[in-house]
Amino acid sequence: MTRISDDTIEEIRSGTDIVDLISEYVQLSKRGKNWFGLCPFHEENSPSFSVSEDKQLFHCFGCGASGNAITFMMDMENRSFIDSILKLGSRIGMELEASTNDAQTTKTSSNQQMLKAYTLAANFYSHLLLNTIEGEKALEYLENRGFTRDQIEQYEIGWSPVQSDALSSLLTRQGFDLKEMETAGLCFQKEDGSGYFDRFRGRIMFPIQDDNGMTIAFSGRRLEDSSSDAKYINSPETPIFEKSKVLFNFHRARLNVRKSGKVILFEGFMDTIAADRGGIGNTVAVMGTALSSHHIVKLKRMAKKVVICCDGDSAGWGAAKRFADSLIDSGMDVLVATLPDRMDPDDFIAQQGVDAFTEKILDQPLSYISFVAAYYRRDKNLSIDHDIKQYVHEVFNELAHRCSPIEKDLLIQQLHSETHASKESLGQEFTKSIARKAKQTRVADPVEESRSVSLTSATANRTETDRAEQLLLAHLLMDADLFEEKRAELQDLFVRDDVIKIFFKLAAFYEQYDLPNYQRFAEMLEDRQLKKIVMEAILTERSQEHTGQEVEDCIRHLKRNQLKRLIEQKQHESKEAEKKNDLLKAMELATEVIQLVRSLKVL
C-alpha cells in the first residue's frame, strides 16, 4: 500500500477548500457562518447538512455523517483513503503516484476492470469513427445532423464496426477476461461456446458516463433507418451501470445547474446532447422512462427548481406526469415545458434551432397545477357535460390537497373559464375532493410517526453531562498541552463509553504526533460512531477568550457528576446492608455518604 507522508496529506487537505469541493456534489447556501444543503448520504427534504468554512468540516444533523474533505471523498465516491488523497491531490495540481502493490490491488477489482474496458472501447469506437474509412458513412450522418468534429470528440461519439468480434479480439489482446466482459455487457458468448462476439455492431456509439465522467455503458444507434433492428440498443444493467442511479450528462451539467439554480430534465439522452450543443448546459436525462428516488436525490442536491421537458406525444405526456408527481412530492419546484404533438426536443431543435426552443418551449413552461389541468384536458370535449364532470373530478382529485389558497382560487378561475361551470359549484366540488383525500389518508403512518418521536426524544435526552463531555473533548482535540496537563485528572471522569474510547485513542495519537491535528485524528478512526462524536465536538462553539475557565467548568461538572453517582451507589449499598442486618456496615456507608455530600457542596 502507498505510504504518503503526513506533510503531503496535510498540504492536500489544507489546499482543498471543503466548500468548493462539496459544492460540486451538493447545492449549498450560506446561513450565518456555515453553509447548508441536503445531505448526500441520506434522503431528506429539509437541509440538515452543514459545512463549516473556517473549520473545513462537514456534519449532518440528520444522519450524523461528518468529516473533512478527505473523508467526504471517501464516503461520497466509496474510495479508499489513499485513492481519495490521490484524487484531491490531482484536483489541486499535485500529481501523486500509487505504489505498484496498490495499483495492482485496484487492477484486480472487477469493477475497475470493467471501467478500464469501457474506456478502451470508447477510445476504440471514437478512433474508428474519426480516422477510418469504415467510419466515414457514420461520420457523414452525424455531420449532416449538425455535429462538428469538436462536438463529436467532446461527447466521445464513436462507431462500432460490422465485424462481429472486433472489440472482443481487442479486449483479448489487452488481457481482459471475456467472461467478465460479458458480465460488463460488451460481448456475448457464442451458443456453441467456441468464442465471443460483440454486443454492438455497425452502430453509432454514444457513451454513457457516471457522475465522475467515467464511461460505464453505451447506447448504439443504427445508421440505416430502414433497418428492421431496434433504433437504439443500450447496454444491459451491470455492476457498474444501474439505470436508476444514472442521469445522463450529470457530470457536465452539475456546475451549470448550480449557477442557474435550475435543472432541465429530459427523457432522452439525445435531447440532452442537442440542447447542450446549443449552449443549454444545465440539462440531464434519465436512462429509460422511470425517475427513481436516486435520481430525485441527485436533482435536489443540484437545484431547487426543475423544468421537465418530454416528448409531445401521449407517451411523453405520461412520462412528464410521472416525473412531475414524483418531484412535487419530494418538495421541488416543478415546471413543465410542453412540445407540439409528436415532436421531441431533439427534433424541435434540429428543425427550428436552439433559440426558438429556448424562447417557445423552455421560457414558457406550465406550472405544475396548470400542467395537471392540461394533462387531463387533452382527451376531453368540454362542450359535453359528461367530459366536463370527469375533467373537474380528475383535476380536483389530483390537486385539491396540493393547492395553496391562492392556487385554489387560480385553479377555480381557470376551470370556470374553460367549462363555464359556476365558481360556487366548483368550490363545493373542490371541498368534497379534499374531504375524500383526507378520509383516504386519515390513518397516519406509524413508522413515520415513530421516527419523528424517536428523533425528538433523542434531541431532548441530551444531558448537561453529555454537553460537558463534548465541550471538554473539543478543547482536548485542539490542545495537546492541555491534554497532557489534564490527562491523569480526566481519565476516570468521562461517562460515555464512546468518549472514553476516544480519550484513550487521543492519548495514543498524541504519543505519536506532538502537535494536535483533529483532521488527521478523525481520519484514523475506523469506527463511524467515534468519528461522528469527534466531529460533533470540533463543531461545538467554544470560548476563545475564557478557554481555561470553560475547561475548569466542564471538569467541575464531571467531578460533581462522578460524586453524585458515587453517592447513589453508597446509598444503595447502605440500604442493602440494612436489609441484611449488617448495621455496622450500614453506618460506615452512611458516614461515607455524608462525607461525599459535603465534598459535593464545596466543589
Side-chain angles (χ1 to χ4, degrees), residues 204-262:
I204 297 173
M205 302 299 289
F206 295 92
I208 298 163
Q209 286 102 1
D210 65 11
D211 294 354
N212 301 308
M214 295 291 291
T215 299
I216 56 174
F218 288 108
S219 183
R221 189 196 191 282
R222 71 183 183 213
L223 187 57
E224 301 293 340
D225 286 339
S226 60
S227 171
S228 59
D229 293 337
K231 185 175 182 180
Y232 285 95
I233 293 178
N234 298 327
S235 295
E237 294 212 340
T238 68
I240 61 171
F241 174 52
E242 295 180 58
K243 288 190 290 186
S244 66
K245 295 183 178 180
V246 175
L247 285 172
F248 183 83
N249 204 46
F250 181 86
H251 64 294
R252 294 190 192 95
R254 187 160 46 199
L255 291 179
N256 289 322
V257 168
R258 291 203 175 95
K259 289 176 183 176
S260 66
K262 176 173 65 178

Side-chain angles (χ1 to χ4, degrees), residues 290-577:
L291 187 69
S292 72
S293 60
H294 293 287
H295 293 144
I296 293 172
V297 169
K298 284 186 179 182
L299 293 170
K300 290 179 69 176
R301 288 176 193 160
M302 291 195 295
K304 294 180 180 178
K305 182 181 292 185
V306 59
V307 178
I308 299 166
C309 186
C310 296
D311 296 352
D313 59 11
S314 181
W317 276 81
K321 177 67 165 55
R322 292 192 300 274
F323 293 174
D325 289 346
S326 297
L327 290 165
I328 205 77
D329 287 341
S330 75
M332 292 193 76
D333 296 334
V334 176
L335 298 171
V336 183
T338 59
L339 283 154
D341 191 27
R342 281 187 278 278
M343 290 197 76
D344 61 37
D346 185 20
D347 289 337
F348 190 101
I349 292 171
Q351 293 177 23
Q352 301 190 36
V354 72
D355 289 341
F357 179 70
T358 300
E359 294 169 9
K360 296 179 181 179
I361 306 301
L362 296 183
D363 288 351
Q364 299 184 41
L366 300 175
S367 68
Y368 173 74
I369 287 176
S370 295
F371 167 71
V372 171
Y375 175 82
Y376 288 114
R377 190 173 59 244
R378 287 176 308 135
D379 57 352
K380 303 292 191 303
N381 183 344
L382 297 187
S383 63
I384 299 174
D385 290 346
H386 176 270
D387 280 15
I388 290 175
K389 289 177 64 177
Q390 187 176 1
Y391 172 51
V392 170
H393 174 78
E394 288 173 346
V395 170
F396 282 167
N397 186 60
E398 187 83 27
L399 295 176
H401 65 292
R402 286 180 166 139
C403 282
S404 67
I406 293 177
E407 289 171 329
K408 169 192 171 183
D409 288 346
L410 292 173
L411 180 60
I412 289 176
Q413 176 63 47
Q414 178 181 335
L415 296 187
H416 167 66
S417 300
E418 292 173 343
T419 66
H420 304 297
S422 71
K423 293 181 182 179
E424 291 76 16
S425 62
L426 290 170
Q428 291 171 4
E429 187 62 32
F430 185 94
T431 303
K432 290 179 183 177
S433 296
I434 291 179
R436 283 195 298 268
K437 183 64 71 171
K439 186 176 182 180
Q440 292 170 4
T441 59
R442 187 169 295 160
V443 179
D445 182 351
V447 175
E448 192 63 36
E449 188 174 328
S450 172
R451 187 182 297 125
S452 174
V453 171
S454 175
L455 182 60
T456 304
S457 300
T459 304
N461 286 341
R462 287 188 61 83
T463 66
E464 288 296 327
T465 300
D466 293 335
R467 287 188 279 272
E469 284 187 321
Q470 185 180 67
L471 185 55
L472 184 55
L473 181 59
H475 284 291
L476 297 177
L477 287 163
M478 301 296 291
D479 191 338
D481 292 336
L482 175 67
F483 184 93
E484 192 58 37
E485 177 188 340
K486 301 293 185 180
R487 180 173 179 173
E489 185 178 5
L490 292 174
Q491 64 182 7
D492 295 323
L493 284 182
F494 288 110
V495 179
R496 287 184 291 168
D497 290 339
D498 287 340
V499 178
I500 294 170
K501 290 178 183 177
I502 292 171
F503 179 82
F504 285 107
K505 286 181 180 292
L506 188 58
F509 179 83
Y510 281 142
E511 288 175 4
Q512 182 178 357
Y513 300 91
D514 293 332
L515 296 175
N517 188 332
Y518 61 82
Q519 303 262 17
R520 187 75 185 99
F521 177 65
E523 290 161 3
M524 295 172 66
L525 295 174
E526 296 180 1
D527 189 310
R528 291 179 66 88
Q529 177 63 17
L530 299 187
K531 187 183 298 184
K532 172 187 171 184
I533 293 171
V534 167
M535 289 304 169
E536 286 178 343
I538 291 299
L539 291 169
T540 302
E541 292 294 330
R542 304 180 305 280
S543 171
Q544 303 298 324
E545 299 177 358
H546 307 289
T547 298
Q549 184 61 51
E550 194 168 68
V551 168
E552 290 304 322
D553 287 345
C554 290
I555 292 175
R556 184 180 302 107
H557 177 88
L558 293 178
K559 285 183 175 179
R560 288 178 61 84
N561 180 72
Q562 186 183 55
L563 280 174
K564 288 177 181 177
R565 286 186 290 127
L566 189 56
I567 289 170
E568 290 176 1
Q569 178 187 334
K570 295 294 183 182
Q571 287 174 332
H572 176 73
E573 291 176 0
S574 178
K575 290 179 180 178
E576 291 297 314

Side-chain angles (χ1 to χ4, degrees), residues 92-119:
I92 62 172
M94 291 180 62
E95 295 298 334
L96 305 172
E97 291 188 3
S99 69
T100 303
N101 288 340
D102 187 63
Q104 188 64 34
T105 300
T106 303
K107 190 175 181 180
T108 58
S109 163
S110 177
N111 284 11
Q112 289 297 322
Q113 284 293 85
M114 291 181 186
L115 289 171
K116 282 184 172 182
Y118 269 97
T119 299

